[in-house]
């Protein structure tokens, strides 16, 4: 029987560092065209989820983005994004990490917490082909791409050289396809109408040059996708082809494929995800699941089956913390609704089944009550507080037991799990809570599921946690790590690039008199010693920060270059203040010194102890924020000074014609200082994610 994805979401919980109580997002970065009229009005929604690899192992350091808000997953692979600006009926979640192809999910967001699971596919090179030579690349299951040897760069210029080919095929009969596929099965057909799709197979092909830059085919190319044995008999002779628009977040119809033996063969003009699908008009369906005591059933799998066809695949959705799922389903079709236990140890245990539909308009089903005899339920609940015994308002709790890994956000300190078990025998669990405002966690708690209620009481989060990080590179192939601090995402190392982002060189100036007279961008190593650059990065004058490289760009800001890598920028004075206030709410952006924020920003250790780069005593250094500030010193018209004693970082903000704002840290206190210095001075640079 054909089983269709509902756009449903698994509600798990997790939160990242957030020094603000409001993640309000005024810049949406949402797609906007006539098709978005299907998505309703703009709305702010909360999201939580987990990113895993193909072996279902948690992926740390994944950048997850919704609208213009980005967060990084932790060691559990989990993220939380609050108050993201999305549409009432459409939210697009993207996931990026080096070594993996981009992952994504689209859902209809509920007003509560929406939970996402994305399984990212490895960016493994399947083959290397040469431009100018016809070739093909095939997978063991029969998926194949034929190349005529003509390739181009993303900007459209002809490319000559080797081409690395990454290739994946998703089989509809594979139960993990629902997690691996991009977006969802919502689509825009050739006439511009909204449709729900039923897939007969998906293929992703990505092309790169030797340096990892993306390439495209220059001419139409043939692709072949095997048809699942379960669908072969009912597969239509011709079927629409759809590509996934990574900017818009949904599939678009483009061309057709023809059934040739047990494959679909088609022609594509570009590479992305391609999908062979039949299409259906849609309605929105909402389902709420509770147990016999009217307790919402969180995390149970809901599966819809289209009854009037044979063959198909299993693509479940999952209830959230209030027992709800909602999404698009085919209109005017009779469906079977199966509800399963969320405990994988139990196998495919159906705890409820019902015939529903057909539906001709948007529908909310009556509340579905799971009979008491169908499953064993334990409620695990408690309260999470911080070190001051105040309720945690920005935190989460995870619970792990046999076959289950659950998350829930805390609500004014309270948390509750509804855990299903396929046996009445006692089963142990492990649980831990996190406070992201205080960057603290509880110790791991243990207990036993008793098929009733387990009250854990008050758990206090007082153990320092590590912030999750990710990686990115610059034009010179330097690699940096980054992490979220409050509502911002910061580099953890000083910038070390020698070119602006368009490739224009930034002069290295070693002569002291030449340096002192500069009014255009330049860089140097401390003491002109490359060994210092390997540790501390480069020192830049403010003109490089501003992208001033000649007289014309000095006079006209529109002509200036960009120093920060793509997707990043030099923080303004106000953005530095946001960081300082996040780490010490009483600091007043660096003017009211509290001896706190700077200590949280400094790397720990001292030179004398042999485990750090700061001079003794490196007062109050905890690096609790993960900023990992180093004492790179500075360069002025008088020469180099203060390495080991101070770290100085430019802002992008001017004070007057000759002065610009900066921040600096010191070895002998825990302050984060705000000051202004001459623009010709050489300071370190940190970048902030756009």
């Amino acid at each position: 029987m054909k089983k269709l994805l509902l756009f449903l979401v698994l509600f798990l919980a997790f939160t990242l560092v957030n020094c603000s109580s409001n993640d309000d997002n005024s810049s949406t970065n949402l797609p906007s065209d006539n098709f978005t009229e299907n998505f309703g009005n703009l709305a702010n929604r909360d999201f939580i989820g987990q990113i895993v690899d193909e072996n279902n192992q948690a992926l740390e350091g994944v950048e997850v983005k919704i609208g213009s808000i980005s967060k990084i997953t932790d060691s559990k692979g989990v993220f939380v994004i609050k108050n993201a600006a999305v549409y009432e009926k459409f939210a697009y979640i993207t996931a990026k990490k080096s070594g993996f192809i981009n992952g994504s999910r689209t859902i209809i967001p509920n007003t509560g917490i929406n939970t996402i699971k994305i399984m990212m596919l490895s960016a493994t090179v399947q083959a290397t082909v040469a431009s100018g030579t016809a070739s093909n690349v095939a997978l063991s299951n029969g998926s194949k791409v034929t190349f005529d040897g003509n390739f181009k760069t993303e900007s459209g210029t002809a490319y000559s050289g080797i081409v690395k080919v990454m290739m994946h095929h998703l089989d509809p009969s594979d139960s993990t396809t629902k997690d691996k596929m991009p977006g969802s099965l919502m689509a825009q057909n050739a006439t511009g109408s909204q449709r729900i799709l039923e897939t007969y197979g998906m293929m992703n092909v990505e092309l790169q040059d030797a340096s990892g830059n993306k390439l495209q085919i220059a001419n139409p190319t043939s692709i072949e996708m095997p048809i699942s044995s379960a669908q072969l008999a009912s597969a239509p002779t011709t079927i629409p082809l759809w590509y996934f628009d990574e900017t818009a977040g949904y599939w678009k119809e483009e061309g057709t494929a023809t059934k040739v033996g047990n494959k679909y063969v088609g022609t594509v003009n570009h590479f992305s995800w391609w999908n062979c699908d039949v299409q259906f008009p849609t309605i929105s369906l909402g389902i709420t699941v509770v147990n016999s005591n009217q307790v919402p059933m969180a995390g149970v799998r809901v599966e819809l089956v289209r009854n009037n066809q044979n063959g198909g695949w299993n693509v479940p959705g999952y209830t959230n913390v209030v027992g709800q799922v909602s999404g698009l389903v085919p209109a005017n079709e009779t469906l079977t609704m199966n509800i399963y236990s969320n405990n994988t140890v139990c196998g495919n245990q159906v705890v409820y089944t019902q015939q529903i539909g057909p539906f001709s308009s948007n529908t909310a089903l009556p509340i579905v009550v799971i009979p008491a005899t169908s499953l064993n339920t334990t409620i695990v609940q408690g309260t999470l507080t911080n070190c001051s015994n105040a309720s945690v308002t920005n935190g989460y709790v995870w619970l792990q037991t046999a076959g289950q890994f659950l998350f829930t956000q805390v609500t004014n300190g309270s948390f509750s799990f509804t855990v299903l078990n396929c046996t009445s025998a006692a089963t142990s669990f492990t649980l831990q809570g996190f406070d992201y405002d205080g960057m603290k966690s509880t110790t791991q708690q243990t207990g036993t599921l008793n098929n009733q209620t387990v009250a854990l009481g008050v758990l206090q989060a007082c153990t320092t946690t590590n912030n999750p990080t990710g990686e990115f590179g610059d034009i010179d192939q330097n690699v940096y790590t980054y992490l979220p601090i409050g509502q911002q995402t910061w580099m953890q190392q000083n910038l070390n690039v020698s070119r602006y982002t368009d490739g224009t060189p930034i002069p290295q100036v070693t002569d002291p008199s030449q340096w002192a007279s500069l009014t255009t961008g330049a860089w140097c190593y401390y003491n002109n010693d490359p060994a210092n650059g390997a540790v501390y990065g480069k020192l830049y004058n403010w003109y490089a920060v501003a992208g001033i490289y000649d007289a014309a760009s000095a006079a006209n800001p529109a002509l200036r270059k960009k120093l920060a890598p793509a997707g990043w920028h030099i923080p303004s004075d106000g953005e530095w203040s946001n960081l300082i206030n996040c780490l010490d709410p009483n600091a007043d952006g660096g003017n009211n010194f509290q001896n706190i924020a700077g200590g949280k920003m400094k790397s720990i250790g001292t030179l004398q102890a042999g485990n750090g780069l700061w001079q003794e005593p490196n007062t109050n250094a905890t690096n609790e924020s993960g900023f990992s500030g180093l004492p790179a010193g500075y360069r002025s018209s008088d020469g180099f000074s203060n390495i080991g004693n101070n770290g100085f970082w430019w802002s992008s903000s001017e004070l007057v014609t000759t002065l610009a704002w900066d921040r600096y840290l010191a070895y002998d206190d825990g302050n984060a200082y705000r000051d202004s210095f001459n623009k010709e001075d050489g300071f370190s640079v940190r970048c902030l994610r756009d």
Side-chain angles (χ1 to χ4, degrees), residues 345-362:
V345 171
C346 301
N348 290 324
Q349 179 180 347
V350 177
V351 297
Y352 185 88
T353 187
Q354 179 185 346
Q355 297 290 308
I356 60 175
F359 306 107
S360 59
S361 61
N362 296 341

Side-chain angles (χ1 to χ4, degrees), residues 47 58 91 333 347 357 381 393 408 436 506 508 559 651 656:
F47 298 84
E333 296 278 348
Q381 60 189 22
T393 57
T408 187
Y436 272 101
I506 307 168
Q508 179 185 9
L559 300 177
S651 82
V656 293

Side-chain angles (χ1 to χ4, degrees), residues 122-135:
S122 62
T124 302
V125 177
Q126 295 291 339
T128 299
V129 300
S131 63
T133 303
S135 59

